[in-house]
Amino acid sequence: MYLYHFPQMTGVGFGLSLIGRLLEVYPGVVVGMKASTGDWERMETVCREFPGFSVFAGTERYLLDTLRHGEAGCISATVNVTSRLARRVYDSHEAGQDDEARELREHLTVLRTEIEAFPQIPALKRIMARLADADGWHNIRSPLVGLEDYQAARLLARLPLAELL
């Protein structure tokens, strides 16, 4: 079982003492966590305090940092379109190419920042519509609202689309 630490959405987080108790009471059952707070110091503490407990960052920004701590990587909505670059960060890290991994991670972080400048899910759907050449990706479920055409044009103009997916 993986814990999902996202107190901004749930109103409740997993404190270090609770994680420790869960690991003690359920050895081999509770095996990791997705940390979606964006708080690297906390993720680093979890990595340090619970060796072998798989930590996934909720953003590509911390992909390389989690890998350097021997952790799992990241689970991120934007990886739906940045997966090729995230994989390159992972592969460079595994190959011991630290400078290349760092440069790729920095590029990946810039791309994520460009996407985050817009409402995330509608932005991802517009990117997928362009990449897949499929208008069905424009469909958005309430309460979300799609991007206006001018917003989508601005977003798509800022991204190196050939590098995505």
Side-chain angles (χ1 to χ4, degrees), residues 18-40:
L18 177 57
I19 294 169
R21 286 196 328 252
L22 289 170
L23 293 174
E24 185 178 314
V25 174
Y26 301 104
V29 174
V30 177
V31 295
M33 174 176 70
K34 178 183 177 191
S36 290
T37 62
D39 179 355
W40 170 246

Side-chain angles (χ1 to χ4, degrees), residues 23-140:
L23 293 174
E24 185 178 314
V25 174
Y26 301 104
V29 174
V30 177
V31 295
M33 174 176 70
K34 178 183 177 191
S36 290
T37 62
D39 179 355
W40 170 246
E41 287 180 23
R42 185 179 190 291
M43 280 185 268
E44 186 176 37
T45 300
V46 172
C47 293
R48 189 177 53 250
E49 294 293 319
F50 305 107
F53 183 67
S54 295
V55 176
F56 291 91
T59 172
E60 299 92 323
R61 280 185 183 93
Y62 302 123
L63 169 59
L64 185 56
D65 298 309
T66 58
L67 294 174
R68 286 177 174 158
H69 279 277
E71 297 303 331
C74 75
I75 300 172
S76 163
T78 52
V79 171
N80 283 289
V81 298
T82 65
S83 58
R84 182 184 299 168
L85 293 168
R87 180 60 197 228
R88 288 180 60 203
V89 171
Y90 180 88
D91 290 344
S92 295
H93 169 74
E94 288 294 300
Q97 299 166 337
D98 293 334
D99 290 340
E100 181 176 340
R102 189 183 68 258
E103 288 174 23
L104 289 166
R105 190 268 325 268
E106 289 170 7
H107 180 56
L108 189 57
T109 298
V110 168
L111 293 179
R112 178 168 173 118
T113 301
E114 293 289 346
I115 295 167
E116 285 179 336
F118 300 87
Q120 191 172 24
I121 300 305
L124 291 171
K125 287 191 165 267
R126 280 296 186 124
I127 296 166
M128 285 302 300
R130 172 65 63 85
L131 294 173
D133 193 24
D135 288 341
W137 283 100
H138 292 167
N139 298 328
I140 304 283

